[in-house]
């Protein structure tokens, strides 16, 4: 009974983390907030690319520090950096200030990415539940998406009332501070196996994880696969916001409202539905994997789905059919929320547990490097041609991934 009660408390804290972490009131309005500050899509792409560059510089060392110095400390540093970033984003429209905010945000990302997943997997291994990776991660991720759904409604209400997109950054301070308190109650099994003589070990730890990721064919394939899927998704997903804005401008039923109020209402509604569906998709990822015949088969099906979706975005955005493009974006989000728990499970299954956070950091670093190159280029293309080039970028990445997957012999589903 005591063990069952402790397990429930741990799952509650893991789920609460995701719910609070995803009170990202800015997320449905980030591009619109930057546009409010007078930035072009190209400049927004530069900011996103700079954030990705900073993530690349610090991603793997931060994972090693989390593995060696303590994961709860790393998470507290992460959320402290997020909070500092939100303050700058809320108060300034000076370009170099925004770059500083992106730097602080990247520190939050690098100390968080991979670390919390490693904490969950350590806890599962300590309790003999390692085979529940996809199910447990999908469950906690579903609470993250429910948090996003709630956040979308709250953010839309704030913007409708206040009329400023940048105000949402202030609101983020409350749940992020609450999550720091949440970390203090995490079970000790999540801390990871730390060692003495840490300073000399960090470089060796990073090198060991990087060498394993390169030499292990299964890890290498999964990391490259994640780069194509997640990297493209990260640079394309926020273009849903200007798509919704265009749709809001054409809605006759909201003509009595100011443009920003109409946009806030429609963005809030779309993102609420999107996040609720994403929560369901993430929670059901393990069942989807069973129906598809395993994690590898599920990943293949997700690639086919996003290829069709990005391909359909090209004519929809070119012709200005916002009402058609919006549900296509939603389908891409759903595919990503099935694919992500499956990818994390596949990668963890072929990784050394002692290098878990660092390996996931390497995975995150590769997709960030992709974003560094692609985000400004896509932003420039959108400034000059409209939104439809993002469909070409996504379809090309999916087609390449499917061709390389077909050419390769499946490995992860066999577990060898």
């Amino acid at each position: 009974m005591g063990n069952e009660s402790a397990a429930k408390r741990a799952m509650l804290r893991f789920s609460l983390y995701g719910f609070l972490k995803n009170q990202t009131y800015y997320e449905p309005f980030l591009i619109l907030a930057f546009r409010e500050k007078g930035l072009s899509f190209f400049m927004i792409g530069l900011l996103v690319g700079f954030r990705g560059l900073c993530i690349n510089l610090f991603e793997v060392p931060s994972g090693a520090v989390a593995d060696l110095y303590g994961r709860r400390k790393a998470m507290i540093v992460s959320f402290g950096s997020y909070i500092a970033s939100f303050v700058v984003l809320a108060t300034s429209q000076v370009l170099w200030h925004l770059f500083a905010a992106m730097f602080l945000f990247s520190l939050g990302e690098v100390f968080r990415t991979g670390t919390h997943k490693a904490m969950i997997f350590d806890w599962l291994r300590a309790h003999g539940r390692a085979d529940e990776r996809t199910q447990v991660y999908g469950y906690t991720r579903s609470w993250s998406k429910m948090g996003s759904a709630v956040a979308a409604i709250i953010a839309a209400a704030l913007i409708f009332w206040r009329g400023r997109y940048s105000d949402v950054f202030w609101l983020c301070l409350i749940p992020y501070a609450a999550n720091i308190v949440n970390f203090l109650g995490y079970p000790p099994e999540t801390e990871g196996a730390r060692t003495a003589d840490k300073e000399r070990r960090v470089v060796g730890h990073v090198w060991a994880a990087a060498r394993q990721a390169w030499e292990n064919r299964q890890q290498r394939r999964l990391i490259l696969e994640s780069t194509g899927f997640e990297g493209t998704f990260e640079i394309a997903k926020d273009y849903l916001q200007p798509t919704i804005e265009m749709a809001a401008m054409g809605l006759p039923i909201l003509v009595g409202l100011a443009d920003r109020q109409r946009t806030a209402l429609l963005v809030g509604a779309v993102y609420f539905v999107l996040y609720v569906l994403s929560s369901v998709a993430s929670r059901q990822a393990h069942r989807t994997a069973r129906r598809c015949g395993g994690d590898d088969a599920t990943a293949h099906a997700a690639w086919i789905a996003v290829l069709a979706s990005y391909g359909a975005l090209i004519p929809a955005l070119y012709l200005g059919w916002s009402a058609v493009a919006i549900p296509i974006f939603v389908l891409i989000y759903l595919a990503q929320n099935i694919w992500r728990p499956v990818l994390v499970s596949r990668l963890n299954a072929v990784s050394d547990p002692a290098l878990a956070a660092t390996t996931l950091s390497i995975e995150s670093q590769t997709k960030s490097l992709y974003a560094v190159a692609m985000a400004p280029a896509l932003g420039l293309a959108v400034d000059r041609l409209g939104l439809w080039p993002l469909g070409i970028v996504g379809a090309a990445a999916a087609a390449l991934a499917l061709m390389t997957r077909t050419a390769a012999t499946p490995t992860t589903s066999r577990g060898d």
Side-chain angles (χ1 to χ4, degrees):
M1 183 64 68
N3 289 339
E4 183 178 345
S5 176
K8 287 182 179 178
R9 286 196 301 270
M11 289 299 297
L12 175 62
R13 289 198 178 275
F14 296 155
S15 300
L16 180 61
Y17 155 79
F19 186 86
L20 292 173
K21 182 261 295 180
N22 275 39
Q23 295 305 294
T24 49
Y25 307 110
Y26 62 87
E27 189 167 305
F29 300 96
L30 182 61
I31 286 185
L32 301 180
F34 282 143
R35 296 286 284 175
E36 179 183 66
K37 296 175 186 294
L39 302 183
S40 67
F41 285 111
F42 174 64
M43 290 307 302
I44 294 171
L46 285 179
L47 283 171
V48 172
F50 175 74
R51 181 183 66 187
L53 178 61
C54 293
I55 289 172
N56 263 275
L57 291 175
F58 298 108
E59 181 73 63
V60 178
S62 70
V65 169
D67 282 337
L68 296 170
Y69 284 80
R71 291 170 181 166
R72 280 188 294 185
K73 290 180 181 177
M75 295 299 287
I76 290 171
V77 170
S78 166
F79 277 70
S81 296
Y82 280 131
I83 288 171
S85 173
F86 295 147
V87 171
V88 177
L89 288 169
T91 57
S92 182
Q93 58 185 25
V94 178
L95 189 58
W96 77 265
H97 291 176
L98 299 180
F99 276 99
M102 289 293 100
F103 172 74
L104 290 168
F105 190 93
S106 71
L107 290 183
E109 289 284 279
V110 298
F111 278 103
R112 180 189 64 81
T113 305
T115 302
H116 195 263
K117 300 179 190 69
M119 295 169 84
I120 293 176
F121 294 148
D122 275 347
W123 181 84
L124 289 172
R125 274 188 288 269
H127 290 267
R129 300 172 60 177
D131 59 340
E132 299 177 30
R133 286 185 302 264
T134 300
Q135 181 176 353
V136 171
Y137 178 58
Y139 177 80
T140 58
R141 184 178 171 83
S142 75
W143 275 105
S144 298
K145 295 305 173 183
M146 287 303 296
S148 296
V150 172
I153 296 298
I154 294 174
L158 178 66
I159 294 169
F160 186 88
W161 170 48
R162 295 275 295 172
R164 276 174 40 88
Y165 293 125
S166 294
D167 286 343
V168 295
F169 296 114
W170 286 118
L171 200 57
C172 294
L173 304 184
I174 300 170
Y176 274 56
N179 228 349
I180 291 177
V181 177
N182 182 40
F183 296 137
L184 299 177
Y186 266 41
E189 304 95 299
T190 62
E191 195 67 89
R194 291 177 290 168
T195 62
D197 195 20
K198 297 166 186 172
E199 288 77 10
R200 291 189 298 175
R201 288 291 307 279
V202 170
V203 174
H205 192 86
V206 172
W207 172 249
R211 186 177 62 183
Q212 182 189 85
W214 175 253
E215 294 178 351
N216 185 318
R217 185 165 62 96
Q218 294 171 308
Q219 276 194 24
R220 187 170 67 247
R221 282 188 58 222
L222 289 174
I223 289 172
L224 292 175
E225 184 178 336
S226 174
T227 300
F229 198 115
E230 292 283 336
T232 302
F233 177 77
E234 286 299 316
I235 64 173
K237 66 183 179 67
D238 288 335
Y239 284 98
L240 172 59
Q241 296 165 32
T243 304
I244 296 174
E245 184 179 41
M246 289 190 298
M249 297 303 100
L251 284 178
I253 59 172
L254 299 176
V255 290
L257 300 175
D259 289 349
R260 200 157 291 182
Q261 289 179 314
R262 279 191 284 174
T263 300
L265 287 177
L266 191 56
V267 168
V270 169
Y271 272 85
F272 176 79
V273 172
L274 185 154
Y275 288 136
V276 169
L277 293 176
S278 295
S279 174
V280 174
S282 187
R283 186 174 296 198
Q284 298 300 318
H286 67 288
R287 291 192 175 94
T288 303
R290 283 203 299 266
R291 285 194 294 267
C292 288
D295 287 348
D296 197 73
T298 305
H300 191 80
W303 273 116
I304 294 174
V306 296
L307 173 61
S309 298
Y310 281 121
L313 271 182
I314 299 171
L317 293 175
Y318 181 79
L319 296 171
W321 294 345
S322 301
V324 175
I326 290 171
I328 295 174
F329 272 106
V330 172
L331 289 174
I332 294 171
Y333 269 82
L334 293 182
Q336 190 269 344
N337 278 282
I338 292 172
W339 188 86
R340 183 63 188 173
V342 168
L343 180 277
V344 170
S345 176
R346 294 160 74 204
L347 187 57
N348 186 261
V350 297
S351 299
D352 182 344
L355 303 173
T358 314
T359 300
L360 287 166
S361 293
I362 291 172
E363 178 262 335
S364 181
Q365 186 187 42
T366 56
K367 67 186 181 187
S368 297
L369 182 61
Y370 177 85
V372 169
M374 291 302 300
L378 180 59
L380 183 60
V382 169
D383 277 330
R384 295 187 175 182
L385 302 173
L387 293 172
W388 63 269
L390 71 91
I392 292 179
V393 171
L400 179 61
L402 283 169
M403 285 189 293
T404 55
R405 283 177 58 86
T406 302
T409 302
T411 57
T412 55
S413 61
R414 295 200 313 262
D416 53 21

